[in-house]
Amino acid sequence: MSNSSTDPVSVEIIDGVARLTMNHPPVNALSLRLRKALADALSAVAADPGITAVLLAGQPKAFSAGADISEFGAGAGSPPDLPTLVAMVEDFPVPVIAALTGVALGGGLELAMAAAARIAAPDARLGLPEISLGLLPGAGGTGRLPRLVGPERAVEMILGGQQISADQGLRDGLLDAVLADPTSEEGLLWATGFAQGDGDPSQPSVGVASHGEGTIEPLHRRPPTRQREDKIAAARANPGSIATLAAARLAKAKDPFAARAAIDAITAGVELSFEEGARVEREKFEERRASAESGAQRHLFAAERAARKPKNLDPRAAKHVARAGVVGAGTMGGGIAMALAAAGIPVTIVEAEQQALDRGLARVRENLTRSVEHGSRSESDAQNQLALIGTSLDYAAFADADLVIEAAFEDLQVKRDIFATLDRHVRPDAVLASNTSYLDIDQIAAGTAHPGRVLGLHFFSPANVMPLVEVVRGAKTDAQTLATGFALARLIGKTPVVVGVCHGFVGNRMLEVRSQQAERLLLEGALPGQVDKVLTDFGFRMGPFAMGDMAGLDIGWRNRKAQGVKAPVSDALCEAGRFGQKTGAGYYAYDGRGRRDDAAVAELIAGISASLGVPRRDISAEEILERLTFPMINEGARILAEGIADRSGDIDVIWVKGYNWPAYRGGPMWYADQVGLPRVAARLRHYAEQTEDESLRPAGLLARGADDDGASTAGGLIFGAAGQGSGQEALGGPAAANGPAA
Ligand code: 3HC
């Protein structure tokens, strides 16, 4: 067996143990190339009578991240498929010991679960994350995991999709030992001991395992994973128990189709037999793999990774942020400070008044206490985080900050004044960011002596929880500033997406269009409950009116008044003192039992329709959905044409991460491609005529995409296969976006 440094699997024989090392960068995804190499290596080793055990290893960063996601679009995997490899490992003539380093995820963990034993490095991470791709484990994971860790933990891991630590894996029974370096000398010795069954019986995690009442057996004599039934016996004797265990998770599932499929497979594997479970698992896996819902989530996986590499951003230009500052101790300022402190960055909050500081800090404390009570953070973590948050009434406290984020009142003059003050107090090389959600970053920057160091970092509320940050590139933002803001957002665990300057950037600009249509639908005949239901049926957690009530209607009302803009229904509700949940009434009525439709609101809306002379009619769910989503797509096309977003996939990431667009619908631009651009454009034309609203006419980019799409048999996805292409590129650059079709 000869090895070269480019072989995806290398084989070394050391004292009778064959060490098979997978080396298929970047993450040992089990692509056809790696599967073939692994099958060949296993076959060669099986034919060598001198070999007593196999140590199956990967790279320090990844044992394996599972099946190759990029192969899923092409149909079922070419042979050898993953289940075949898994079976080879489980039925291997000598024990195979999986040595886990870095991540062992999805098919990678399934391969390891078929091994005779699993040893792992202390920092290894284990999981079956298929659910977040709209899938279920497809190589025996739904059958083997419950047999190793019991049905309860298996349901948690498969439906939750989270990674667990090596320590947790050991406690759960997924691992047999945690070793400093399982792939080297230590692991080889462990494998030898395991094969010989001569481990020290006083240390059951090394070479031996205890089965039941005090019996100690050499580990290699235990049955293969698929035949182990001790941990599933109780569930098998109690049919329906898996469904009961999974009910709460199913109710919260982001992709209910994949969750239900996973539950069916686990149930069959536990309540019937491993073989029956494997049959159901394979069938459901193939069904999900071919589904639109999984396609959408795989698109998002790629789009998120593409968004990490913004155009014209050199990550090497980023400056390390050792200390940060926040202006404003309101809900946003406090949330941003918490997010920074949670990542270990000391942060000082500056406010104009002590009372505001006290209130802000009290809110931070309250949040931290609540997260300790919910178990999402330990008491000591909470204390450490709090210790990193300082406060001051003086901008001089920012003297040593590398970056300051302004999170003050949403008013251009207020922000310009703050930036002018900051300019005088911070170091000349400090980055200045505004958390504005609508305002013009260039106008804010213009009030400073160094506009190059200004950018927008638009967090979403609550900032300590929501993953999205729109990183706003101003006209003068320099390379270091942009790279530093972007890197900081990643460092604190957020999903940053670079956007350009316009009113509301990408997310709120599209939201505004949706809100206008939602209000308009009320005037034409719909009621809030009907509109909201269409969006919750589509997959949103909440519709626009329930969301408005939760956020408080008065904020938008005040903004509209300042801008001289009207929203007749929302304005009338506010004039009647109905500000939403906080006043017990808004679009809905609220009482102890929650939200309910309110006849008074129906009456109020009907009165406004009449006074404006808008005839009321029955509006179908289909029209409501199209009226809410298609204008957003249209606005997305304008955003692409203007170069405000780099790629259509960026827009999708923004809407999924910041506005809870259902991941299984892939984001608005992906959805547009699924509906078909010709249909989206035709319906927009229809609604423009019906409502006499010219803004609903298809934007140039959308109209031309629709023409191409209708003409080409290839589908002409102008928004970009996998969301990587920008509309501009598809049509030959920004100039072409407004001119005739290229
Ligand atoms: N298949 C193909 N490519 C993958 C991959 C996979 N399973 N996992 C990661 N990659 C690629 C990424 O696309 C990225 O490519 P790029 O450099 O061209 O952008 C590269 O590997 C590095 O990935 P990340 O940028 O995400 O690196 P991180 O260090 O941040 O994260 C990771 C690494 C934790 C492995 C993360 O990539 C991840 O979670 N991967 C997905 C894991 C997963 O979902 N596995 C299940 C697959 S489905 C399956 O196994 C089905 C089976 O049951 C039959």
Side-chain angles (χ1 to χ4, degrees):
M1 277 166 263
S2 71
N3 294 310
S4 104
S5 60
T6 55
D7 287 346
V9 176
S10 64
V11 182
E12 301 151 279
I13 313 290
I14 307 155
D15 296 335
V17 178
R19 177 166 62 192
L20 270 56
T21 305
M22 296 181 277
N23 180 20
H24 186 46
V27 292
N28 277 338
L30 289 151
S31 63
L32 178 60
R33 182 158 181 260
L34 180 54
R35 293 199 305 274
K36 267 191 178 150
L38 202 50
D40 288 349
L42 284 167
S43 301
V45 167
D48 184 340
I51 286 170
T52 56
V54 173
L55 191 69
L56 180 58
Q59 297 301 312
K61 194 184 158 204
F63 170 77
S64 166
D68 188 328
I69 297 167
S70 65
E71 286 181 357
F72 286 150
S78 308
D81 64 10
L82 204 46
T84 305
L85 262 187
V86 164
M88 270 182 98
V89 166
E90 194 161 55
D91 298 331
F92 209 68
V94 296
V96 177
I97 287 90
L100 310 181
T101 48
V103 289
L105 301 175
L109 186 61
E110 289 176 293
L111 201 58
M113 286 195 288
R118 284 149 296 283
I119 55 182
D123 60 355
R125 309 283 305 168
L126 323 165
L128 292 176
E130 286 88 343
I131 195 96
S132 52
L133 295 167
L135 298 168
L136 59 151
T142 59
R144 287 194 182 83
L145 190 61
R147 283 165 171 76
L148 288 169
V149 305
E152 194 164 345
R153 292 287 293 136
V155 163
E156 255 177 64
M157 280 181 73
I158 294 171
L159 269 76
Q162 297 96 344
Q163 300 173 7
I164 62 167
S165 67
D167 269 355
Q168 186 64 50
L170 191 61
R171 280 198 296 277
D172 288 345
L174 182 53
L175 296 178
D176 296 289
V178 175
L179 308 178
D181 186 356
T183 63
S184 64
E185 187 76 0
E186 209 183 352
L188 290 164
L189 278 174
W190 200 95
T192 308
F194 179 89
Q196 294 169 351
D198 65 355
D200 176 356
S202 67
Q203 292 181 26
S205 70
V206 181
V208 291
S210 67
H211 286 291
E213 295 290 293
T215 345
I216 306 282
E217 287 180 54
L219 269 179
H220 72 280
R221 277 194 220 139
R222 71 184 178 191
T225 310
R226 67 171 184 276
Q227 289 170 11
R228 291 171 61 177
E229 306 224 318
D230 47 322
K231 291 200 174 171
I232 58 165
R236 178 166 283 174
N238 187 7
S241 61
I242 303 281
T244 311
L245 276 178
R249 291 210 169 251
L250 180 61
K252 279 196 264 159
K254 286 206 171 119
D255 179 342
F257 310 98
R260 215 167 289 124
I263 295 168
D264 288 349
I266 302 170
T267 304
V270 168
E271 294 183 2
L272 302 173
S273 64
F274 179 85
E275 287 68 28
E276 185 56 21
R279 196 191 58 70
V280 173
E281 181 193 82
R282 205 62 206 160
E283 186 187 301
K284 301 272 173 193
F285 180 83
E286 279 308 318
E287 175 200 301
R288 286 294 97 209
R289 187 192 55 70
S291 71
E293 292 82 16
S294 176
Q297 288 165 91
R298 291 182 333 243
H299 150 71
L300 283 170
F301 180 83
E304 274 176 46
R305 273 144 193 89
R308 289 183 194 166
K309 298 167 197 152
K311 292 181 184 165
N312 305 320
L313 184 150
D314 180 0
R316 290 165 307 182
K319 218 174 53 128
H320 176 62
V321 175
R323 299 194 71 85
V326 170
V327 180
T331 313
M332 283 313 286
I336 295 170
M338 280 176 71
L340 291 162
I345 300 171
V347 52
T348 304
I349 309 179
V350 168
E351 256 292 356
E353 289 170 12
Q354 187 61 42
Q355 263 185 338
L357 267 187
D358 294 344
R359 261 200 315 273
L361 210 56
R363 206 177 305 116
V364 167
R365 270 200 207 95
E366 216 175 279
N367 269 325
L368 287 171
T369 308
R370 214 174 310 130
S371 62
V372 172
E373 282 165 8
H374 291 165
S376 58
R377 180 177 279 111
S378 71
E379 178 65 39
S380 66
D381 274 358
Q383 287 308 328
N384 291 342
Q385 216 171 310
L386 203 57
L388 287 173
I389 302 178
T391 57
S392 175
L393 295 172
D394 189 348
Y395 279 62
F398 292 146
D400 58 353
D402 300 295
L403 178 145
V404 179
I405 303 171
E406 164 276 316
F409 190 63
E410 192 74 351
D411 177 281
L412 185 61
Q413 196 49 51
V414 169
K415 290 191 191 278
R416 280 174 62 101
D417 291 348
I418 289 173
F419 272 72
T421 315
L422 280 172
D423 218 22
R424 292 195 300 274
H425 285 88
V426 298
R427 284 198 324 255
D429 63 332
V431 168
L432 301 182
S434 172
N435 177 52
T436 180
S437 31
Y438 285 97
L439 299 174
D440 185 337
I441 294 293
D442 294 335
Q443 288 194 41
I444 295 174
T448 68
H450 311 284
R453 61 154 138 175
V454 176
L455 85 166
L457 286 179
H458 177 209
F459 288 77
F460 288 69
S461 187
N464 51 316
V465 177
M466 290 293 282
L468 181 67
V469 177
E470 283 180 321
V471 177
V472 190
R473 184 203 302 256
K476 297 207 168 139
T477 304
D478 66 33
Q480 177 172 301
T481 300
L482 188 72
T484 303
F486 192 84
L488 176 74
R490 283 218 63 190
L491 182 71
I492 65 175
K494 300 292 181 192
T495 304
V497 181
V498 172
V499 299
V501 176
C502 65
H503 183 71
F505 315 119
V506 171
N508 281 345
R509 177 169 161 183
M510 289 169 71
L511 180 68
E512 203 162 282
V513 170
R514 190 183 80 174
S515 305
Q516 281 161 8
Q517 288 302 313
E519 169 94 8
R520 178 79 209 181
L521 284 164
L522 294 185
L523 294 179
E524 289 176 30
L527 289 174
Q530 189 192 355
V531 174
D532 280 351
K533 182 170 183 306
V534 169
L535 279 200
T536 51
D537 286 351
F538 184 74
F540 276 93
R541 290 252 172 253
M542 244 184 226
F545 297 119
M547 203 165 87
D549 274 1
M550 201 175 76
L553 304 177
D554 49 327
I555 306 160
W557 184 42
R558 238 179 285 127
N559 283 344
R560 282 194 301 275
K561 278 207 277 196
Q563 293 170 26
V565 178
K566 289 208 176 315
V569 177
S570 188
D571 293 348
L573 289 171
C574 289
E575 277 150 24
R578 300 181 70 118
F579 292 165
Q581 273 187 29
K582 60 186 169 192
T583 55
Y587 287 103
Y588 296 92
Y590 296 85
D591 54 28
R593 284 168 299 135
R595 183 172 71 222
R596 61 184 164 74
D597 292 336
D598 190 340
V601 173
E603 215 173 289
L604 179 132
I605 296 173
I608 298 173
S609 300
S611 70
L612 294 174
V614 183
R616 292 185 71 75
R617 61 189 168 91
D618 281 343
I619 304 182
S620 69
E622 187 186 21
E623 175 173 346
I624 292 175
L625 183 61
E626 291 180 349
R627 293 271 300 273
L628 294 178
T629 54
F630 290 4
M632 289 174 63
I633 293 164
N634 210 16
E635 202 60 30
R638 292 189 185 109
I639 283 170
L640 279 175
E642 290 166 23
I644 299 293
D646 278 352
R647 321 168 181 89
S648 59
D650 288 357
I651 300 179
D652 289 337
V653 172
I654 286 173
W655 264 82
V656 170
K657 295 287 177 185
Y659 299 82
N660 289 318
W661 178 286
Y664 66 79
R665 305 257 190 206
M669 308 317 272
W670 175 262
Y671 178 64
D673 278 342
Q674 304 310 298
V675 173
L677 302 187
R679 176 170 172 83
V680 175
R683 298 305 289 163
L684 280 168
R685 276 189 203 101
H686 165 77
Y687 292 126
E689 274 150 35
Q690 177 184 300
T691 61
E692 296 176 4
D693 178 352
E694 286 302 304
S695 74
L696 292 181
R697 293 230 171 257
L701 189 66
L702 177 59
R704 282 192 300 282
D707 289 347
D708 291 353
D709 200 5
S712 96
T713 45
L717 304 178
I718 62 144
F719 292 147
Q724 310 319 309
S726 73
Q728 289 182 12
E729 275 172 352
L731 293 178
N738 296 317

